[in-house]
Amino acid sequence: MLSVLAALLTLATAISAWPSTSSNSTGIKLQNGFERVYIQPFGNNGIRVRASLMRDPSGNELSALLDPPLEGPGGNQGLAYDQLIGYQGNASFQNGNLIVQVNLGVISFYRAETNGSLSLLTQEFTDDKALYSRYYVQEYKSPSFQAQFSFTSDADEQFYGMGQQACCKDTSVNKKGQSIDLINFNSFVPIPVYMSNKGYLQFFNMPSQGRMEFSPIRTRFISSEATAVDYWITTAEPGDYDTLQEQYTAVTGRQPTPPDFILGYQQSKLRYWNQTQVMDLAQEFHDRQVNVSMIVVDFFNWKYQGDWAFDPEYWSDPAEMASFVKNMTGAEMMVSLWPSVEDLSDNYIALQEQGLLATTRDGTGVTDSFAGVYTRLIDSTNPASREFLWKQLNESYFSKGIHNFWIDQADGGTLGEAWENNGQTINLIPYERASAQYFIGTQEGAGKMYPWLHQAAINEGLHNLTGQPITSASCDYMSLTRSTFAGGQRYCSYLWSGDTLSEFPVLLQQITSSVSVAASGISSWTLDIGGFTGLDIDTDYGKELFVRWFGMGVFLPYPWSYGEENFVIIKKYIDLRYQLVPYVRALFQQLQYSGRTIMRALYYDFSLSDPFVVQATSVNNPLVTQQYMFGPRLLVSPVGIQNATTKEVYLPRLTESMISQNFSWVHWWTDTDYGQGGNTVTVNAPLDEIPVFYLGSKSDIFSGSVF
Ligand SMILES: *[C@@H]1O[C@H](CO)[C@@H](O)[C@H](O)[C@H]1NC(C)=O
Ligand SMILES: *[C@@H]1O[C@H](CO)[C@@H](O)[C@H](O)[C@H]1NC(C)=O
Ligand SMILES: *[C@@H]1O[C@H](CO)[C@@H](O)[C@H](O)[C@H]1NC(C)=O
Ligand SMILES: *[C@@H]1O[C@H](CO)[C@@H](O)[C@H](O)[C@H]1NC(C)=O
Ligand SMILES: *[C@@H]1O[C@H](CO)[C@@H](O)[C@H](O)[C@H]1NC(C)=O
Ligand SMILES: *[C@@H]1O[C@H](CO)[C@@H](O)[C@H](O)[C@H]1NC(C)=O
Ligand SMILES: *[C@@H]1O[C@H](CO)[C@@H](O)[C@H](O)[C@H]1NC(C)=O
Ligand SMILES: *[C@@H]1O[C@H](CO)[C@@H](O)[C@H](O)[C@H]1NC(C)=O
Ligand SMILES: *[C@@H]1O[C@H](CO)[C@@H](O)[C@H](O)[C@H]1NC(C)=O
Ligand SMILES: *[C@@H]1O[C@H](CO)[C@@H](O)[C@H](O)[C@H]1NC(C)=O
């Protein structure tokens, strides 16, 4: 009886919600001289726009969108439309609470409010004295063109996301005022997607190089090479960032839940040279009773770049090693692979003959050099290359019990070190990144998809071998990658922040980096604990930095240490991490289910309850932007200053809903209750007690009952 009632209620809710979750049009086509613009409903409260010159979009352009989307209308509709308009035409439709209006050929987006009024989100930027809002430059050598699309923006509007930035000691959460290059290299993974505090998210579904500009009155997307401009926009109530992420991940993909073993502690080092060393390490973890989830073997486990196999001189029996590690510690193993191939590798001739290497505009050429040899990249944008790569990885590693892969140097174009060639620094020479050409197109037009398809090779390979469908909501094994693109969250993969400097300010920079990449749909993220370059754990500075960084690592989606083993100091943190595994598992389940972001800048949860959070975020005040929520219950405020003994923590004002659950901010280590927030407090911050506050009961957190 009860269940019948529940079913009826569900039905009633569905019916009453019906008008707001559907679209009253299949789409608009604007035929404007040489230009064609298709505007279609896509996903819940979402609209997709595609624009091309001289010809219709083919519909087969490179895309990170799932078609059909996981949720909501549209999809599988090709270039359907029911409203055809011409120069200076007018048309409109709605999809859920998002309305598009074309007025005299100018496109505007509105949110339909529950009281019937319309709120303007953004519209094409028009001014008699400005570049057209949809501006194209075509050279007529090919059907492609450059494009610049401009939209209005309020002076006090805030923008969040844009992937992972590393430039210029960047510590911004609000990207307003910035100009962000769209090109990948080591640590720099820009993704052209952002959320506005006015309650919308906009995504440019194009893997081209270019630039995103957030100027005071105008937001501009610039693509160096396109055959169609393709963007998607969605809306939610202002402050409801979880709904924006839910809608965005319904069109670009949801993160499958990672395997349980990977939620613990991952040990890596530059580097373990041979299998004896790895087995000794496993023995030590065992003897000292420190839990470990994964032991990682870094680069040059191979003899020649492109072997995708252990050098047998140092790794004589990988199967025995993996089995020993498993027996001693229960840990899985991960191994590094690079995309580079040198001519001494056994695979070189086959790859060259079959045309499976990326080329350059000068002919076969080279794409980079490393360790004294010239290298070319495997062209992972070609399905045949992905199959070739996976075949080697299976033979060398997977079939021997090493199931997880570290996709290093995956940036594309070159090995991702644009400033270096064969050990020599290239500074201030107007040196373009390699003009790489791929199976799917040029570096300018398609380059940002290289790392994404390289990731896909491992993802496909693992699924093919384990027999798990590619759409499965969980992963048996994972890859770790240095680069990705929009939608990368649909793979059994996690991003790390690349090669970072081992310095306190960089530790702090990781916070804004992580919450920005998370706001771009990629919650599956980690970093090198301790940083990568320059860590010297024998100095006081190095030791202190490493332990401070380790404390933060406990409260990340995956704790991955790139340091020396230092069991005594870090054992307490590792043990705590294992206690938190049920909580982290719950965060990943929620991420899978609804795209709910794991590492949350404070604006996510507190912009409606605490005006100071909004104001401080707008100016990137570190008091607010260098803290984050790790899931719904933990506020983490890492210490990023040498010799600090205390930390000033801003406790945001709790929401009505939190207050109604009797939540208050409680200090993790002392259980002192600090009340309902809206104030700054100073807490003791010894090395082994990273400042953390929790909401609700610790037992709910330890059991993961938090949603
Ligand atoms: C579009 O609407 C405007 C009024 O907003 C009108 O002046 C114009 O003629 C309309 N255009 C067309 C093609 O009907
Ligand atoms: C769809 O709804 C919008 C917003 O309510 C309205 O302006 C538009 O005229 C409608 N379009 C069609 C094709 O019914
Ligand atoms: C309707 O709701 C919007 C959003 O809450 C608000 O800005 C607007 O003032 C309201 N309009 C009226 C007429 O109440
Ligand atoms: C393994 O590498 C370590 C570190 O370089 C070295 O000390 C050790 O002798 C090597 N062992 C073997 C068996 O090669
Ligand atoms: C690991 O344990 C299994 C089962 O106890 C055993 O068969 C195997 O020989 C062990 N492997 C190693 C390398 O110790
Ligand atoms: C996975 O299997 C499919 C179907 O057999 C094949 O087309 C694809 O190339 C395989 N992928 C890899 C990376 O081996
Ligand atoms: C993986 O490697 C194993 C061992 O060589 C082999 O039996 C199996 O067929 C390989 N699978 C694929 C898909 O290449
Ligand atoms: C190691 O992890 C297991 C769960 O995987 C847990 O039961 C055990 O208490 C942990 N040991 C330590 C020392 O934290
Ligand atoms: C931290 O303390 C050490 C040792 O007293 C000192 O050398 C160093 O300059 C201090 N660093 C800062 C940032 O105060
Ligand atoms: C919250 O606390 C108040 C007073 O301590 C108590 O009366 C109430 O039952 C509590 N509510 C919940 C949901 O725990």
Side-chain angles (χ1 to χ4, degrees):
M1 185 61 201
L2 211 63
S3 67
V4 172
L5 197 63
L8 282 174
L9 276 173
T10 314
L11 192 65
T13 319
I15 287 169
S16 71
W18 170 248
S20 70
T21 57
S22 64
S23 174
N24 65 352
S25 166
T26 58
I28 298 169
K29 178 177 180 181
L30 167 61
Q31 170 92 42
N32 177 39
F34 291 129
E35 185 196 33
R36 295 109 201 268
V37 184
Y38 286 81
I39 310 170
Q40 296 173 306
F42 197 84
N44 281 326
N45 311 309
I47 286 173
R48 181 182 190 183
V49 179
R50 279 175 286 179
S52 61
L53 288 185
M54 316 295 276
R55 52 184 67 74
D56 283 342
S58 69
N60 297 319
E61 283 83 12
L62 300 170
S63 169
L65 291 178
L66 297 169
D67 190 0
L70 299 175
E71 293 154 12
N76 279 337
Q77 79 206 89
L79 297 166
Y81 58 89
D82 52 24
Q83 303 179 67
L84 177 64
I85 55 175
Y87 173 68
Q88 300 229 321
N90 306 316
S92 173
F93 71 83
Q94 70 169 73
N95 179 19
N97 62 359
L98 180 62
I99 290 177
V100 59
Q101 279 181 13
V102 186
N103 192 274
L104 295 169
V106 176
I107 303 174
S108 307
F109 298 98
Y110 297 86
R111 182 179 49 247
E113 307 292 358
T114 43
N115 63 14
S117 73
L118 297 189
S119 303
L120 177 66
L121 302 171
T122 185
Q123 64 190 152
E124 291 180 328
F125 185 93
T126 54
D127 188 278
D128 289 353
K129 309 286 183 196
L131 210 59
Y132 307 127
S133 51
R134 303 189 300 268
Y135 183 75
Y136 310 88
V137 178
Q138 187 163 25
E139 288 177 34
Y140 298 98
K141 281 185 280 189
S142 71
S144 62
F145 47 82
Q146 293 176 35
Q148 310 199 5
F149 272 39
S150 303
F151 300 86
T152 57
S153 163
D154 296 342
D156 63 352
E157 192 168 353
Q158 298 186 37
F159 293 108
Y160 316 121
M162 284 306 295
Q164 176 181 288
Q165 284 187 75
C167 173
C168 327
K169 305 205 159 36
D170 175 79
T171 50
S172 63
V173 166
N174 176 17
K175 305 298 175 190
K176 182 75 166 182
Q178 292 204 13
S179 173
I180 298 170
D181 293 320
L182 297 173
I183 182 169
N184 295 328
F185 41 82
N186 190 346
S187 303
F188 188 55
V189 189
I191 302 176
V193 56
Y194 46 86
M195 301 193 290
S196 159
N197 66 336
K198 288 173 72 180
Y200 65 92
L201 174 152
Q202 195 165 11
F203 163 49
F204 289 88
N205 179 32
M206 296 163 69
S208 52
Q209 289 187 182
R211 196 164 62 249
M212 196 77 231
E213 297 172 350
F214 298 100
S215 76
I217 51 169
R218 172 165 53 184
T219 300
R220 178 148 58 184
F221 170 78
I222 296 160
S223 165
S224 311
E225 187 191 321
T227 52
V229 176
D230 185 353
Y231 70 88
W232 184 80
I233 183 168
T234 191
T235 188
E237 291 298 310
D240 185 359
Y241 299 100
D242 285 331
T243 296
L244 291 179
Q245 288 294 319
E246 183 171 14
Q247 290 165 180
Y248 172 68
T249 55
V251 302
T252 54
R254 296 254 162 82
Q255 184 75 45
T257 52
D260 233 42
F261 71 81
I262 218 164
L263 301 181
Y265 171 61
Q266 305 176 28
Q267 171 69 39
S268 171
K269 170 174 135 159
L270 182 77
R271 57 200 171 91
Y272 302 115
W273 293 85
N274 53 55
Q275 77 179 53
T276 315
Q277 221 184 343
V278 168
M279 287 157 80
D280 289 348
L281 176 74
Q283 184 77 51
E284 198 162 351
F285 270 103
H286 171 266
D287 295 349
R288 292 176 180 246
Q289 299 193 332
V290 178
N291 272 335
V292 61
S293 287
M294 196 153 70
I295 293 182
V296 185
V297 176
D298 200 350
F299 70 176
F300 280 93
N301 60 74
W302 50 82
K303 188 165 182 196
Y304 299 115
Q305 295 177 62
D307 287 350
W308 302 304
F310 278 121
D311 182 344
E313 192 180 336
Y314 301 98
W315 311 87
S316 57
D317 192 347
E320 184 202 12
M321 169 177 68
S323 150
F324 182 86
V325 165
K326 187 95 190 166
N327 281 8
M328 278 297 144
T329 63
E332 281 278 328
M333 290 193 69
M334 175 180 268
V335 70
S336 161
L337 69 118
W338 281 14
S340 47
V341 183
E342 61 182 278
D343 56 2
L344 288 177
S345 171
D346 283 346
N347 293 323
Y348 179 77
I349 296 291
L351 289 165
Q352 167 71 343
E353 282 176 357
Q354 294 169 45
L356 303 183
L357 296 168
T359 185
T360 68
R361 246 162 260 184
D362 292 339
T364 52
V366 296
T367 54
D368 208 351
S369 63
F370 191 93
V373 296
Y374 287 107
T375 63
R376 296 174 60 193
L377 301 188
I378 184 164
D379 185 358
S380 298
T381 72
N382 183 337
S385 307
R386 297 200 286 275
E387 203 169 303
F388 187 103
L389 175 64
W390 178 254
K391 190 164 175 296
Q392 308 303 319
L393 296 175
N394 172 44
E395 292 294 334
S396 312
Y397 305 115
F398 189 92
S399 65
K400 306 212 160 124
I402 299 170
H403 302 132
N404 305 281
F405 295 91
W406 176 6
I407 314 173
D408 201 356
Q409 313 271 84
D411 319 81
T414 61
L415 283 176
E417 321 283 346
W419 54 87
E420 188 191 295
N421 192 283
N422 208 14
Q424 292 186 333
T425 303
I426 301 161
N427 240 344
L428 299 175
I429 299 177
Y431 185 77
E432 207 193 358
R433 292 202 62 198
S435 300
Q437 306 260 70
Y438 308 106
F439 179 76
I440 56 166
T442 64
Q443 172 69 18
E444 281 100 326
K448 288 182 61 53
M449 211 132 212
Y450 179 88
W452 200 80
L453 289 167
H454 194 48
Q455 259 180 307
I458 316 299
N459 195 59
E460 268 172 40
L462 286 173
H463 283 83
N464 281 359
L465 267 195
T466 58
Q468 209 182 29
I470 202 100
T471 51
S472 170
S474 64
C475 302
D476 291 338
Y477 305 109
M478 297 287 279
S479 69
L480 170 69
T481 186
R482 195 169 79 181
S483 192
T484 188
F485 186 58
Q489 72 272 6
R490 75 180 72 146
Y491 298 136
C492 289
S493 194
Y494 53 126
L495 176 73
W496 103 101
S497 62
D499 297 347
T500 50
L501 286 179
S502 297
E503 291 174 359
F504 276 101
V506 176
L507 184 165
L508 292 171
Q509 190 197 13
Q510 297 300 296
I511 301 169
T512 51
S513 232
S514 65
V515 296
S516 296
V517 81
S520 317
I522 313 266
S523 268
S524 196
W525 185 88
T526 192
L527 46 68
D528 286 347
I529 290 175
F532 172 76
T533 309
L535 180 66
D536 183 354
I537 185 127
D538 292 329
T539 63
D540 289 343
Y541 183 92
K543 246 180 229 141
E544 183 179 345
L545 177 72
F546 185 70
V547 180
R548 288 295 189 201
W549 214 313
F550 210 101
M552 176 178 171
V554 172
F555 300 94
L556 290 181
Y558 312 89
W560 156 284
S561 169
Y562 208 99
E564 305 293 321
E565 303 82 50
N566 201 333
F567 294 119
V568 183
I569 320 181
I570 62 183
K571 188 171 186 322
K572 173 173 165 182
Y573 278 138
I574 295 182
D575 291 351
L576 172 59
R577 172 62 185 206
Y578 278 86
Q579 285 187 282
L580 287 172
V581 162
Y583 178 74
V584 180
R585 191 187 296 126
L587 304 186
F588 273 110
Q589 282 163 353
Q590 201 66 26
L591 178 70
Q592 205 302 303
Y593 172 70
S594 67
R596 195 177 197 281
T597 306
I598 292 181
M599 289 186 73
R600 308 162 69 82
L602 298 192
Y603 68 79
Y604 257 86
D605 295 294
F606 304 104
S607 58
L608 297 179
S609 61
D610 190 342
F612 181 70
V613 167
V614 177
Q615 184 259 318
T617 305
S618 79
V619 295
N620 293 305
N621 177 348
L623 181 63
V624 161
T625 53
Q626 293 183 358
Q627 306 187 140
Y628 61 96
M629 289 296 288
F630 183 53
R633 298 293 184 86
L634 297 172
L635 173 73
V636 184
S637 183
V639 175
I641 293 177
Q642 196 195 358
N643 301 337
T645 54
T646 59
K647 171 95 204 255
E648 257 200 339
V649 178
Y650 182 71
L651 299 175
R653 176 90 196 138
L654 297 184
T655 63
E656 287 305 320
S657 142
M658 290 168 178
I659 291 170
S660 72
Q661 296 172 76
N662 276 1
F663 286 177
S664 58
W665 290 115
V666 184
H667 185 237
W668 182 264
W669 305 100
T670 60
D671 287 328
T672 308
D673 190 328
Y674 282 83
Q676 295 175 350
N679 57 322
T680 302
V681 300
T682 301
V683 291
N684 283 332
L687 278 182
D688 59 348
E689 293 184 3
I690 177 175
V692 170
F693 289 78
Y694 66 98
L695 297 170
S697 78
K698 260 189 185 164
S699 64
D700 282 350
I701 293 170
F702 285 136
S703 68
S705 339
V706 293
F707 289 106

